[in-house]
Amino acid sequence: MAELDPSKKVADRYLKREVLGEGTYGVVYKAIDTQTGQTVAIKKIRLGKQKEGVNFTALREIKLLKELKDPNIIELIDAFPHKGNLHLVFEFMETDLEAVIRDRNIFLSPGDIKSYLQMTLKGLAVCHKKWVLHRDMKPNNLLIGSNGQLKLADFGLARIFGSPDRRFTHQVFARWYRAPELLFGTKQYGAGVDVWAAACIFAELLLRRPFLQGSSDIDQLGKIFAAFGTPSPAQWPDMVYLPDYVEYQHVPAPPLRSLFPMASDDALDLLSKMFTYDPNARISVQQALEHRYVSREALPTVPEKLPRPAPKKESKASDVDSQDGPTVLSPPRKSRRIMPGRDGFEANSLQEDKFDDNAGNFRQTVADNTGKNGPAPMSLDFSLFGLKPPNRPTITSADRSHLKRKLDLEFSNQND
Amino acid sequence: MSANFWTSSHYKHLLDQEDVDMVNPLDKERGVTLEDFKLIKMHMTNYILRLAQQVKVRQRVVATAVTYMRRVYTRKSMAEYDPRLVAPTCLYLASKAEESTVQARLLVFYIKKLYADDKYRYEIKDILEMEMKILEALDYYLVVFHPYRSLSQFLQDASLNDLSMTQLTWGVINDTYKMDLILVHPPHLIALACIYIASVFREKDTTAWFEELRVDMNVVKNISMEILDFYESNRMFTEDRINTALQKLTLRP
């Protein structure tokens, strides 16, 4: 019965489109759900060796996603067998946080960073409330929808925790996001491992590059200790009892401020609480959400207004009025939104990103700016932009006349 | 009894007894009575248990497998979903869902060892095909809560956590899977009913302890009565009656 019916289902309900990529356990393709008109992503789960039925990882994902329904967690819309393979239907997500972080055309305001962090933590909080550990938190598993909503995805490594003596593998997470207790081989761990990974993502949003890029597990610990100092037994009493514990040469902690020069005091405070060595003392996701960095000061950007990478080639028509529109026309360096120092005025003394010395870029930068009027660029990483920090804080007369020309242009533009 | 039970799909899917006791029309046509229906499910529970003992999996896997099997038959007919294939497949699926995978070929090996009867003979490919159908029948909901988790907490809290009480209640809980209780009642209430029975049986006074709990004692007592009724009628479930019931499934209506 089930063998005859579902073949209709793909044709009847889902119109297959292009292949999006190769997932952990099969091909993912785009499709249109004809019942709802919604664009979806369908994961076709390979029946690997044919001898062990539905893929174990896929089953884990199904099991947990059926229990986790939340705006910040990817939705499993449907599942069905087709030609002997199981297919999972997910809501279609435009991009992911890794693409946002890597895209040099995107400037992230403190409000944007806060918004991305908040959505990440909200999704995690739902998991932890239901005793689910994600165990694979990293920017490319945080998907972003067309409305800017960030959603946790890829629950293939996730597990239910809560039985106090249950032993887990420590081989989880991409190395750069692995908590120190995992690197020391602990088999009994909790929600803290996800918090550490979320802290790495937070740091990555601030720095615009992965924060702790270890080349091996040993090196990863070295990188962690170089950033936060070698933990003392007083800081983390259980450390010495961990299975793979080895003594590291003592390094003092540099001031956190020196690693994140542009972050606010509140951001640094939250970061240091999420990066606490002792997992028992590490802040919980719920506490992090209530931390004053998240709850006070600059509000997080509403998801719809968050910057996202330009859509891929396929939808040319919409490129015209898209915010990142004419990017392709100018050399990549010119199309960057923030060019502090070039014109010699301080980045945040004016609505700097409206102005550029290249008139050809004008339309684009203005268009960009309509998207958001974010506060000062706190997280700018100049090394990433290949530019020096501004060294002339005041506006010179040459700049002034230059600015005037620009402003004239803007007015004439508005009159059109 | 963790707080998350109340937000789980398990809680949302709890059924009324009447819905659980609905014999599928296709089976009814073949003359299957409610009594037969219960008998076959009980027999299949035993089947899963015997198979599980061979492949050595945790009790939790058995409990989940039985729950899957019972859920399947609230939606599907036994005529179309042969219990003799559904039972081992549920164990196979539950072993994966509970993170202690048992290989399908191992199950097939022990099925042959346990039952000489050809009617029980199924191959790996049958199990894998049925796995997909069961997933569909379960609507892909796989997380199940069991009374075992709350049991030890309760026993400790009531200072009843000596070996003999623990073993007795644990055994009573195992027996509840021969009935449909897990589809109808929250697991912690089933655990309490089992403790109630065991404490009465061992003549331990737990009245004060139960009174302090904020639970509806009427529900606990009703569940306990159901369990006792089951023990009462259990003696009449003979091999013959089971075979007669299974025989009906193959009859043309």
Side-chain angles (χ1 to χ4, degrees):
Chain A
M1 193 182 82
E3 309 307 319
L4 300 171
D5 198 356
S7 62
K8 266 188 353 189
K9 214 173 177 183
V10 165
D12 266 11
R13 181 162 173 187
Y14 301 105
L15 292 172
K16 218 165 151 175
R17 291 284 160 87
E18 73 270 21
V19 170
L20 293 169
E22 190 85 9
T24 24
Y25 38 72
V27 182
V28 184
Y29 58 88
K30 199 170 169 177
I32 308 291
D33 182 348
T34 55
Q35 269 181 26
T36 60
Q38 204 183 349
T39 308
V40 295
I42 300 186
K43 261 191 201 180
K44 175 184 166 185
I45 292 156
R46 252 195 318 263
L47 282 182
K49 287 168 274 168
Q50 198 64 36
K51 286 255 170 76
E52 280 317 324
V54 175
N55 178 289
F56 181 68
T57 317
L59 202 68
R60 251 185 189 165
E61 188 160 25
I62 296 170
K63 179 178 90 178
L64 296 173
L65 285 180
K66 285 295 257 185
E67 302 293 319
L68 300 166
K69 298 276 181 219
D70 186 81
N72 294 117
I73 292 172
I74 189 87
E75 189 192 351
L76 176 63
I77 297 168
D78 189 17
F80 59 90
H82 177 60
K83 292 181 182 163
N85 288 309
L86 190 59
H87 291 66
L88 304 183
V89 183
F90 294 95
E91 52 186 326
F92 177 75
M93 302 296 276
E94 214 169 65
T95 184
D96 60 63
L97 194 60
E98 188 180 25
V100 170
I101 292 172
R102 303 284 174 273
D103 191 331
R104 293 175 173 211
N105 294 317
I106 289 176
F107 161 70
L108 291 174
S109 74
D112 299 343
I113 292 172
K114 187 176 290 190
S115 182
Y116 280 131
L117 177 72
Q118 191 184 39
M119 290 190 282
T120 306
L121 293 174
K122 278 183 177 172
L124 259 189
V126 173
C127 296
H128 290 177
K129 246 178 233 156
K130 296 227 175 191
W131 301 89
V132 171
L133 294 183
H134 187 282
R135 303 202 302 180
D136 199 15
M137 294 286 290
K138 56 185 177 187
N140 87 29
N141 280 343
L142 302 174
L143 305 186
I144 297 168
S146 54
N147 56 358
Q149 281 288 341
L150 176 146
K151 290 162 195 270
L152 272 57
D154 220 328
F155 282 73
L157 273 182
R159 275 206 66 164
I160 292 181
F161 67 110
S163 323
D165 55 346
R166 186 70 55 231
R167 281 161 196 281
F168 295 144
T169 169
H170 58 277
Q171 295 299 340
V172 289
F173 289 96
R175 183 182 300 118
W176 297 344
Y177 305 91
R178 233 176 261 165
E181 65 268 29
L182 293 170
L183 293 161
F184 276 140
T186 184
K187 303 245 184 312
Q188 290 164 286
Y189 51 84
V193 295
D194 284 337
V195 174
W196 183 277
C200 295
I201 295 165
F202 185 14
E204 196 164 331
L205 279 164
L206 292 165
L207 299 173
R208 302 297 292 268
R209 58 172 163 75
F211 176 39
L212 302 161
Q213 306 183 47
S215 53
S216 65
D217 287 4
I218 298 285
D219 185 47
Q220 187 65 31
L221 279 164
K223 291 274 190 321
I224 292 172
F225 298 159
F228 306 116
T230 316
S232 64
Q235 254 175 304
W236 186 7
D238 296 337
M239 170 176 64
V240 292
Y241 305 110
L242 294 175
D244 303 339
Y245 172 72
V246 277
E247 213 177 314
Y248 273 71
Q249 195 181 9
H250 182 78
V251 249
L256 199 54
R257 164 66 64 210
S258 67
L259 302 173
F260 302 94
M262 298 303 182
S264 70
D265 289 343
D266 284 345
L268 280 189
D269 186 70
L270 176 57
L271 207 52
S272 68
K273 287 181 167 127
M274 293 173 80
F275 275 131
T276 299
Y277 277 126
D278 185 350
N280 297 318
R282 201 173 296 151
I283 194 170
S284 75
V285 171
Q286 196 51 48
Q287 288 165 335
L289 276 169
E290 288 156 15
H291 187 272
R292 63 177 185 276
Y293 165 74
V294 185
S295 57
R296 273 196 227 158
E297 287 182 75
L299 292 170
T301 310
V302 290
E304 290 81 9
K305 297 226 171 117
L306 285 168
R308 294 194 295 279
K312 297 212 185 90
K313 293 260 164 64
E314 38 148 335
S315 49
K316 280 220 172 84
S318 65
D319 265 9
V320 182
D321 40 8
S322 134
Q323 290 189 13
D324 313 78
T327 315
V328 280
L329 299 177
S330 46
R333 228 173 67 93
K334 292 278 167 78
S335 65
R336 277 173 213 142
R337 301 202 47 215
I338 311 293
M339 307 253 168
R342 276 186 74 195
D343 294 329
F345 54 84
E346 200 170 21
N348 51 5
S349 62
L350 276 167
Q351 298 235 313
E352 74 298 330
D353 42 350
K354 247 182 216 173
F355 310 110
D356 199 299
D357 57 354
N358 185 334
N361 277 340
F362 181 67
R363 227 173 62 98
Q364 182 245 325
T365 44
V366 168
D368 262 355
N369 207 45
T370 56
K372 55 177 204 56
N373 264 313
M378 303 284 286
S379 68
L380 259 190
D381 183 352
F382 294 104
S383 63
L384 192 86
F385 282 82
L387 291 164
K388 284 184 210 148
N391 49 4
R392 279 189 300 161
T394 49
I395 299 170
T396 66
S397 58
D399 288 324
R400 245 195 318 263
S401 57
H402 169 71
L403 286 177
K404 253 186 97 178
R405 270 207 314 280
K406 293 279 183 163
L407 283 167
D408 282 346
L409 249 173
E410 185 184 23
F411 288 133
S412 64
N413 198 41
Q414 275 173 353
N415 292 336
D416 288 340
Chain B
M1 202 193 50
S2 38
N4 51 353
F5 171 73
W6 305 106
T7 59
S8 68
S9 63
H10 182 163
Y11 174 62
K12 285 175 206 135
H13 287 118
L14 287 181
L15 295 165
D16 289 334
Q17 190 66 47
E18 304 92 80
D19 298 321
V20 176
D21 287 343
M22 282 260 284
V23 181
N24 188 286
L26 275 176
D27 296 336
K28 225 181 228 167
E29 281 174 30
R30 288 167 167 78
V32 174
T33 63
L34 177 58
E35 192 78 350
D36 294 334
F37 188 42
K38 287 185 174 178
L39 208 56
I40 295 173
K41 285 192 277 186
M42 193 198 74
H43 176 62
M44 290 307 150
T45 304
N46 288 333
Y47 181 10
I48 290 172
L49 197 60
R50 291 179 67 186
L51 208 47
Q53 280 162 352
Q54 300 288 328
V55 295
K56 296 188 177 62
V57 287
R58 293 179 291 146
Q59 188 64 37
R60 193 191 162 80
V61 179
V62 178
T64 299
V66 174
T67 311
Y68 289 169
M69 183 267 292
R70 291 182 181 275
R71 279 188 185 171
V72 166
Y73 290 122
T74 61
R75 292 171 190 164
K76 302 290 179 191
S77 71
M78 291 184 162
E80 285 174 302
Y81 287 69
D82 182 0
R84 283 162 290 212
L85 176 56
V86 169
T89 310
C90 283
L91 182 62
Y92 177 61
L93 183 59
S95 76
K96 282 192 206 176
E98 298 290 356
E99 312 257 348
S100 36
T101 307
V102 174
Q103 290 184 335
R105 57 168 184 83
L106 209 61
L107 287 175
V108 170
F109 174 80
Y110 284 112
I111 292 170
K112 283 182 186 145
K113 208 176 144 192
L114 284 175
Y115 293 95
D117 188 345
D118 261 1
K119 291 205 177 71
Y120 284 83
R121 183 147 303 176
Y122 281 105
E123 301 301 328
I124 296 175
K125 78 166 182 26
D126 302 315
I127 291 185
L128 300 188
E129 260 178 51
M130 182 49 84
E131 181 190 30
M132 206 78 98
K133 288 172 146 191
I134 287 176
L135 274 170
E136 257 195 309
L138 295 173
D139 195 16
Y140 304 89
Y141 285 105
L142 299 171
V143 173
V144 183
F145 290 76
H146 297 293
Y148 302 104
R149 196 197 276 195
S150 17
L151 179 68
S152 56
Q153 277 171 272
F154 282 144
L155 287 177
Q156 196 168 5
D157 190 60
S159 315
L160 292 172
N161 53 336
D162 58 280
L163 189 64
S164 98
M165 266 303 276
T166 307
Q167 276 178 347
L168 180 62
T169 17
W170 187 276
V172 179
I173 291 183
N174 288 351
D175 289 339
T176 63
Y177 284 89
K178 294 178 183 172
M179 320 160 61
D180 287 307
L181 291 179
I182 194 71
L183 302 190
V184 181
H185 300 289
H188 71 282
L189 292 182
I190 299 175
L192 286 176
C194 295
I195 292 174
Y196 186 64
I197 292 172
S199 63
V200 172
F201 189 76
R202 287 274 149 86
E203 292 171 344
K204 307 243 183 196
D205 186 16
T206 49
T207 333
W209 183 73
F210 272 108
E211 269 169 7
E212 268 180 36
L213 294 175
R214 268 193 264 151
V215 292
D216 188 345
M217 252 337 258
N218 284 324
V219 181
V220 174
K221 282 183 182 162
N222 284 340
I223 299 173
S224 310
M225 287 314 289
E226 268 187 75
I227 298 171
L228 292 177
D229 284 348
F230 168 78
Y231 279 120
E232 195 63 34
S233 55
N234 190 28
R235 280 174 285 157
M236 303 176 328
F237 296 157
T238 61
E239 192 85 359
D240 277 352
R241 287 188 58 194
I242 291 161
N243 286 332
T244 319
L246 279 170
Q247 193 63 41
K248 287 184 187 169
L249 292 174
T250 55
L251 297 175
R252 290 271 128 218

